[in-house]
Coordinates of all heavy atoms in Angstrom, one line a residue:
M192 N 87.3 83.2 99.3 CA 87.6 84.6 99.6 C 86.6 85.5 98.9 O 86.4 85.4 97.7 CB 89.0 84.8 99.0 CG 89.6 86.2 99.2 SD 91.3 86.2 98.6 CE 91.7 87.8 98.8
P193 N 86.0 86.4 99.7 CA 84.9 87.3 99.1 C 85.6 88.3 98.2 O 86.7 88.8 98.4 CB 84.3 87.9 100.4 CG 85.3 87.8 101.4 CD 86.1 86.6 101.1
L194 N 84.8 88.7 97.2 CA 85.2 89.7 96.3 C 85.2 91.1 97.0 O 84.3 91.4 97.7 CB 84.3 89.8 95.0 CG 84.4 88.6 94.1 CD1 83.4 88.7 93.0 CD2 85.8 88.4 93.5
E195 N 86.1 91.9 96.6 CA 86.1 93.3 97.1 C 85.0 94.1 96.5 O 84.8 93.9 95.3 CB 87.5 94.0 96.9 CG 87.6 95.3 97.5 CD 89.0 95.9 97.4 OE1 89.9 95.3 96.9 OE2 89.1 97.1 97.8
P196 N 84.2 94.8 97.2 CA 83.1 95.6 96.6 C 83.6 96.6 95.6 O 84.7 97.1 95.7 CB 82.5 96.3 97.8 CG 83.4 96.3 98.9 CD 84.4 95.1 98.6
S197 N 82.8 96.8 94.5 CA 83.2 97.7 93.5 C 82.1 98.8 93.4 O 80.9 98.5 93.6 CB 83.5 97.1 92.2 OG 82.4 96.4 91.7
V198 N 82.5 100.0 92.9 CA 81.6 101.1 92.8 C 81.8 101.7 91.4 O 83.0 101.9 91.0 CB 81.8 102.1 93.9 CG1 80.9 103.3 93.7 CG2 81.6 101.5 95.3
H199 N 80.8 102.0 90.7 CA 80.9 102.6 89.4 C 81.6 103.9 89.4 O 81.2 104.8 90.3 CB 79.5 102.7 88.7 CG 79.6 103.3 87.3 ND1 80.0 102.6 86.2 CD2 79.4 104.6 86.9 CE1 80.1 103.4 85.2 NE2 79.7 104.6 85.5
C200 N 82.5 104.2 88.5 CA 83.2 105.5 88.4 C 82.8 106.2 87.1 O 83.0 105.7 86.0 CB 84.7 105.3 88.4 SG 85.6 106.8 88.1
P201 N 82.1 107.3 87.2 CA 81.6 108.0 86.0 C 82.8 108.6 85.2 O 82.7 108.8 84.0 CB 80.6 109.0 86.5 CG 81.1 109.3 87.9 CD 81.6 108.0 88.4
R202 N 83.9 108.8 85.9 CA 85.0 109.5 85.2 C 85.6 108.6 84.2 O 85.9 109.0 83.1 CB 86.1 109.9 86.2 CG 87.3 110.6 85.6 CD 88.2 111.1 86.7 NE 88.8 110.0 87.4 CZ 90.0 109.5 87.2 NH1 90.7 109.9 86.1 NH2 90.6 108.6 87.9
I203 N 85.8 107.3 84.5 CA 86.3 106.3 83.5 C 85.3 105.3 83.0 O 85.6 104.5 82.1 CB 87.6 105.6 84.1 CG1 87.2 104.9 85.4 CG2 88.7 106.6 84.4 CD1 88.3 104.0 85.9
G204 N 84.1 105.4 83.5 CA 83.0 104.6 83.0 C 83.0 103.1 83.3 O 82.5 102.3 82.6
C205 N 83.7 102.7 84.4 CA 83.7 101.3 84.8 C 83.7 101.2 86.3 O 83.9 102.2 87.0 CB 84.8 100.5 84.2 SG 86.4 101.1 84.6
A206 N 83.5 100.0 86.8 CA 83.6 99.8 88.3 C 85.0 99.8 88.8 O 85.9 99.3 88.1 CB 82.9 98.4 88.6
R207 N 85.2 100.3 90.0 CA 86.5 100.4 90.6 C 86.3 99.9 92.1 O 85.3 100.1 92.6 CB 87.1 101.8 90.6 CG 87.1 102.5 89.3 CD 87.9 101.8 88.3 NE 89.3 102.1 88.5 CZ 90.3 101.5 87.9 NH1 90.1 100.6 87.0 NH2 91.6 101.8 88.1
T208 N 87.4 99.4 92.6 CA 87.3 99.0 94.0 C 87.3 100.2 94.9 O 87.6 101.3 94.5 CB 88.6 98.1 94.4 OG1 89.7 98.9 94.3 CG2 88.7 96.9 93.5
V209 N 87.0 100.0 96.2 CA 87.0 101.1 97.1 C 88.4 101.7 97.2 O 88.5 102.9 97.2 CB 86.5 100.6 98.5 CG1 86.7 101.7 99.6 CG2 85.0 100.2 98.4
Q210 N 89.4 100.9 97.2 CA 90.8 101.4 97.3 C 91.1 102.2 96.1 O 91.8 103.3 96.2 CB 91.8 100.2 97.4 CG 93.2 100.7 97.5 CD 93.5 101.6 98.7 OE1 93.0 101.4 99.7 NE2 94.4 102.6 98.5
E211 N 90.7 101.8 94.9 CA 91.0 102.6 93.7 C 90.3 103.9 93.7 O 90.8 104.9 93.3 CB 90.6 101.8 92.4 CG 91.5 100.6 92.2 CD 90.9 99.6 91.1 OE1 89.7 99.4 91.1 OE2 91.8 99.1 90.4
H212 N 89.1 104.0 94.3 CA 88.4 105.3 94.4 C 89.2 106.1 95.4 O 89.3 107.3 95.2 CB 87.0 105.1 94.9 CG 86.0 104.7 93.8 ND1 85.5 105.7 93.0 CD2 85.4 103.5 93.5 CE1 84.6 105.1 92.1 NE2 84.6 103.8 92.4
A213 N 89.7 105.6 96.5 CA 90.4 106.3 97.5 C 91.6 107.0 96.9 O 92.1 108.0 97.4 CB 90.7 105.4 98.6
E214 N 92.2 106.4 95.8 CA 93.4 106.9 95.2 C 93.1 108.0 94.1 O 94.0 108.6 93.6 CB 94.2 105.8 94.5 CG 94.7 104.8 95.6 CD 95.3 103.5 95.0 OE1 95.3 103.4 93.8 OE2 95.8 102.7 95.8
C215 N 91.8 108.1 93.7 CA 91.4 109.1 92.7 C 91.5 110.5 93.2 O 91.1 110.8 94.4 CB 90.0 108.8 92.3 SG 89.3 110.0 91.1
P216 N 92.0 111.5 92.4 CA 92.0 112.9 92.9 C 90.7 113.5 93.2 O 90.6 114.5 93.9 CB 92.8 113.6 91.8 CG 92.7 112.7 90.6 CD 92.5 111.3 91.1
Y217 N 89.6 113.0 92.6 CA 88.3 113.5 92.9 C 87.6 112.9 94.1 O 86.6 113.4 94.5 CB 87.4 113.3 91.6 CG 87.9 114.1 90.4 CD1 88.4 113.5 89.3 CD2 87.8 115.5 90.5 CE1 88.9 114.3 88.3 CE2 88.3 116.3 89.4 CZ 88.8 115.6 88.3 OH 89.2 116.4 87.2
C218 N 88.0 111.8 94.5 CA 87.4 111.1 95.6 C 88.0 111.5 97.0 O 89.2 111.5 97.1 CB 87.5 109.6 95.5 SG 86.5 109.0 94.1
Y219 N 87.2 111.8 97.9 CA 87.7 112.3 99.2 C 87.2 111.5 100.4 O 87.7 111.8 101.5 CB 87.4 113.8 99.4 CG 85.9 114.0 99.2 CD1 85.0 113.9 100.3 CD2 85.4 114.4 98.0 CE1 83.6 114.1 100.1 CE2 84.0 114.7 97.8 CZ 83.2 114.5 98.9 OH 81.8 114.7 98.7
G220 N 86.3 110.6 100.2 CA 85.7 109.9 101.4 C 86.5 108.8 101.9 O 87.5 108.4 101.3
K221 N 86.1 108.3 103.0 CA 86.7 107.1 103.6 C 86.0 105.9 103.1 O 85.0 106.0 102.4 CB 86.6 107.2 105.1 CG 87.4 108.4 105.7 CD 87.4 108.2 107.2 CE 88.1 109.4 107.9 NZ 89.1 110.1 107.4
E222 N 86.5 104.7 103.4 CA 85.9 103.4 102.9 C 84.4 103.3 103.2 O 83.7 102.9 102.3 CB 86.7 102.3 103.5 CG 86.2 100.9 103.0 CD 87.0 99.8 103.5 OE1 88.2 99.9 103.9 OE2 86.4 98.7 103.6
G223 N 84.0 103.7 104.3 CA 82.6 103.7 104.7 C 81.7 104.6 103.9 O 80.5 104.4 103.7
D224 N 82.3 105.7 103.3 CA 81.6 106.6 102.5 C 81.5 106.1 101.0 O 80.5 106.2 100.3 CB 82.2 108.0 102.4 CG 82.3 108.6 103.8 OD1 81.3 108.5 104.5 OD2 83.3 109.3 104.1
I225 N 82.6 105.4 100.6 CA 82.7 105.0 99.2 C 81.9 103.7 99.0 O 81.2 103.5 97.9 CB 84.2 104.8 98.8 CG1 84.9 106.1 98.9 CG2 84.3 104.2 97.4 CD1 86.4 106.0 98.9
A226 N 82.0 102.7 99.8 CA 81.4 101.4 99.6 C 80.0 101.3 99.3 O 79.6 100.6 98.4 CB 81.7 100.5 100.8
P227 N 79.1 102.2 99.9 CA 77.7 102.1 99.5 C 77.4 102.7 98.1 O 76.4 102.5 97.5 CB 77.0 103.0 100.5 CG 77.9 103.1 101.7 CD 79.3 103.0 101.1
G228 N 78.4 103.4 97.5 CA 78.2 103.9 96.2 C 77.5 105.3 96.0 O 77.2 105.7 94.9
D229 N 77.2 105.9 97.1 CA 76.5 107.3 97.1 C 77.6 108.3 96.8 O 78.3 108.8 97.6 CB 75.9 107.5 98.4 CG 75.1 108.9 98.4 OD1 75.1 109.6 97.4 OD2 74.6 109.2 99.5
R230 N 77.8 108.6 95.5 CA 78.8 109.5 95.0 C 78.8 110.9 95.7 O 79.9 111.5 95.9 CB 78.8 109.7 93.5 CG 79.3 108.5 92.8 CD 79.4 108.7 91.3 NE 78.9 109.9 90.7 CZ 79.6 111.0 90.4 NH1 80.9 111.0 90.7 NH2 79.1 112.0 89.9
A231 N 77.7 111.4 96.1 CA 77.6 112.7 96.8 C 78.4 112.7 98.1 O 78.8 113.7 98.6 CB 76.2 113.0 97.1
R232 N 78.7 111.5 98.7 CA 79.4 111.4 99.9 C 80.9 111.3 99.8 O 81.6 111.4 100.7 CB 78.9 110.2 100.7 CG 77.4 110.4 101.2 CD 77.0 109.2 102.0 NE 77.8 109.1 103.2 CZ 77.8 108.0 104.0 NH1 77.0 107.0 103.7 NH2 78.6 108.0 105.0
F233 N 81.4 111.1 98.5 CA 82.8 110.8 98.4 C 83.4 111.3 97.1 O 84.7 111.3 96.9 CB 83.2 109.3 98.5 CG 82.7 108.5 97.3 CD1 83.5 108.3 96.2 CD2 81.4 107.9 97.4 CE1 83.1 107.5 95.2 CE2 81.0 107.1 96.3 CZ 81.8 106.9 95.2
C234 N 82.7 111.9 96.1 CA 83.3 112.2 94.8 C 82.9 113.6 94.3 O 81.7 113.9 94.3 CB 82.8 111.1 93.8 SG 83.4 111.4 92.1
D235 N 83.9 114.3 93.9 CA 83.7 115.7 93.4 C 83.7 115.8 91.9 O 83.6 116.8 91.3 CB 84.8 116.6 93.9 CG 84.6 117.1 95.3 OD1 83.4 117.1 95.8 OD2 85.5 117.5 96.0
Y236 N 83.8 114.6 91.2 CA 83.9 114.7 89.7 C 82.7 115.2 89.1 O 81.5 114.8 89.4 CB 84.2 113.2 89.2 CG 84.3 113.2 87.7 CD1 85.3 113.8 87.0 CD2 83.2 112.6 87.0 CE1 85.4 113.7 85.6 CE2 83.3 112.6 85.6 CZ 84.3 113.1 84.9 OH 84.4 113.1 83.6
D237 N 82.8 116.2 88.2 CA 81.8 116.8 87.4 C 82.1 116.6 85.9 O 83.0 117.3 85.4 CB 81.6 118.2 87.7 CG 80.5 118.9 87.0 OD1 80.0 118.3 86.0 OD2 80.1 120.1 87.3
P238 N 81.4 115.7 85.2 CA 81.8 115.5 83.8 C 81.7 116.7 82.9 O 82.3 116.7 81.8 CB 80.8 114.4 83.4 CG 79.7 114.4 84.3 CD 80.3 115.0 85.6
K239 N 81.0 117.7 83.3 CA 80.8 118.9 82.5 C 82.0 119.9 82.7 O 82.2 120.8 81.9 CB 79.5 119.6 82.8 CG 78.3 118.8 82.3 CD 77.0 119.5 82.7 CE 75.9 118.6 82.3 NZ 74.6 119.2 82.8
R240 N 82.8 119.6 83.8 CA 83.8 120.6 84.2 C 85.2 119.9 84.3 O 86.2 120.6 84.0 CB 83.4 121.2 85.5 CG 84.4 122.1 86.1 CD 84.1 122.5 87.6 NE 84.4 121.3 88.4 CZ 83.8 121.0 89.5 NH1 82.8 121.7 89.9 NH2 84.1 119.9 90.2
D241 N 85.3 118.7 84.7 CA 86.6 118.1 85.1 C 87.2 117.2 84.0 O 86.5 116.5 83.3 CB 86.4 117.3 86.4 CG 86.0 118.1 87.5 OD1 86.4 119.3 87.7 OD2 85.1 117.6 88.3
P242 N 88.5 117.2 83.9 CA 89.2 116.3 82.9 C 89.1 114.9 83.4 O 89.1 114.6 84.6 CB 90.6 116.8 82.9 CG 90.8 117.4 84.3 CD 89.5 118.0 84.7
V243 N 89.1 114.0 82.4 CA 89.2 112.6 82.7 C 90.6 112.2 83.0 O 90.9 111.3 83.9 CB 88.6 111.8 81.5 CG1 88.8 110.3 81.7 CG2 87.2 112.1 81.3
T244 N 91.6 112.7 82.3 CA 93.0 112.4 82.5 C 93.7 113.7 82.9 O 93.2 114.8 82.9 CB 93.6 111.9 81.3 OG1 93.5 112.8 80.2 CG2 93.0 110.6 80.9
F245 N 94.9 113.6 83.3 CA 95.7 114.7 83.9 C 97.0 115.0 83.2 O 98.0 115.2 83.8 CB 95.9 114.4 85.4 CG 94.6 114.2 86.1 CD1 94.2 112.9 86.3 CD2 93.9 115.2 86.6 CE1 93.0 112.7 87.0 CE2 92.7 115.0 87.2 CZ 92.2 113.7 87.4
G246 N 97.0 114.9 81.9 CA 98.2 115.3 81.1 C 99.2 114.1 80.8 O 100.2 114.4 80.4
F247 N 98.8 112.9 81.1 CA 99.7 111.8 80.8 C 99.6 111.5 79.3 O 98.5 111.5 78.8 CB 99.3 110.6 81.7 CG 99.5 110.8 83.2 CD1 98.4 111.1 83.9 CD2 100.7 110.8 83.7 CE1 98.5 111.4 85.3 CE2 100.9 111.0 85.1 CZ 99.8 111.3 85.9
P248 N 100.7 111.0 78.7 CA 100.7 110.7 77.3 C 99.8 109.4 77.1 O 99.7 108.6 78.0 CB 102.1 110.4 77.0 CG 102.8 110.2 78.3 CD 102.0 110.9 79.3
P249 N 99.2 109.3 76.0 CA 98.2 108.2 75.7 C 98.8 106.8 75.9 O 98.1 105.9 76.2 CB 97.8 108.5 74.3 CG 98.0 109.9 74.0 CD 99.2 110.3 74.9
E250 N 100.1 106.7 75.6 CA 100.7 105.4 75.7 C 101.1 105.0 77.2 O 101.4 103.9 77.5 CB 102.0 105.3 74.9 CG 103.1 106.2 75.3 CD 103.0 107.6 74.7 OE1 102.0 107.9 74.0 OE2 103.9 108.4 74.9
A251 N 101.0 105.9 78.1 CA 101.3 105.6 79.5 C 100.2 104.8 80.1 O 99.0 104.9 79.9 CB 101.4 106.9 80.3
S252 N 100.6 103.8 81.0 CA 99.6 102.9 81.6 C 98.6 103.7 82.5 O 97.4 103.4 82.5 CB 100.3 101.9 82.4 OG 101.0 102.4 83.5
R253 N 99.1 104.8 83.1 CA 98.1 105.6 83.9 C 97.1 106.2 83.1 O 95.9 106.4 83.5 CB 98.9 106.7 84.7 CG 98.0 107.4 85.6 CD 98.8 108.3 86.5 NE 97.9 109.0 87.4 CZ 97.9 108.9 88.7 NH1 98.8 108.2 89.3 NH2 97.1 109.6 89.4
F254 N 97.4 106.6 81.8 CA 96.4 107.1 80.9 C 95.2 106.1 80.7 O 94.1 106.4 80.8 CB 97.0 107.5 79.6 CG 96.0 108.1 78.6 CD1 95.8 109.5 78.6 CD2 95.4 107.4 77.7 CE1 94.9 110.1 77.7 CE2 94.5 107.9 76.8 CZ 94.3 109.3 76.8
R255 N 95.6 104.9 80.5 CA 94.6 103.8 80.2 C 93.8 103.5 81.5 O 92.6 103.2 81.4 CB 95.3 102.5 79.8 CG 95.9 102.7 78.3 CD 96.3 101.3 77.8 NE 97.2 100.6 78.7 CZ 98.6 100.8 78.6 NH1 99.1 101.6 77.8 NH2 99.3 100.1 79.4
L256 N 94.4 103.6 82.6 CA 93.7 103.3 83.9 C 92.8 104.5 84.4 O 92.0 104.3 85.3 CB 94.7 102.9 85.0 CG 95.5 101.6 84.7 CD1 96.6 101.5 85.7 CD2 94.6 100.5 84.6
G257 N 93.0 105.6 83.9 CA 92.3 106.8 84.3 C 92.9 107.4 85.5 O 92.5 108.0 86.4

């Protein structure tokens, strides 16, 4: 079984699957935009402007996952 492609996420600092990127509030592209990893085609995250988390308490699993 082939591994699902992963793309680096600068928001949380690690690789995420295409599906995980599609679930991110900053990612807007379709699978074909995300898979090659060209963030300009699918991601609006700006580390100088945008939060990494969205108000979840630190002990929440969503906080750990980004």
Side-chain angles (χ1 to χ4, degrees):
M192 180 174 177
L194 293 175
E195 185 173 355
S197 61
V198 177
H199 180 77
C200 175
R202 181 172 67 93
I203 59 173
C205 64
R207 307 302 279 175
T208 66
V209 171
Q210 180 60 37
E211 288 168 327
H212 278 281
E214 295 170 358
C215 175
Y217 294 110
C218 294
Y219 54 85
K221 296 189 183 331
E222 183 176 331
D224 298 322
I225 298 169
D229 180 4
R230 287 187 351 95
R232 294 182 59 193
F233 70 90
C234 181
D235 279 339
Y236 177 70
D237 180 349
K239 295 178 184 172
R240 178 191 71 210
D241 298 323
V243 172
T244 60
F245 303 95
F247 296 101
E250 64 276 3
S252 64
R253 184 167 180 123
F254 182 87
R255 290 191 306 272
L256 296 174

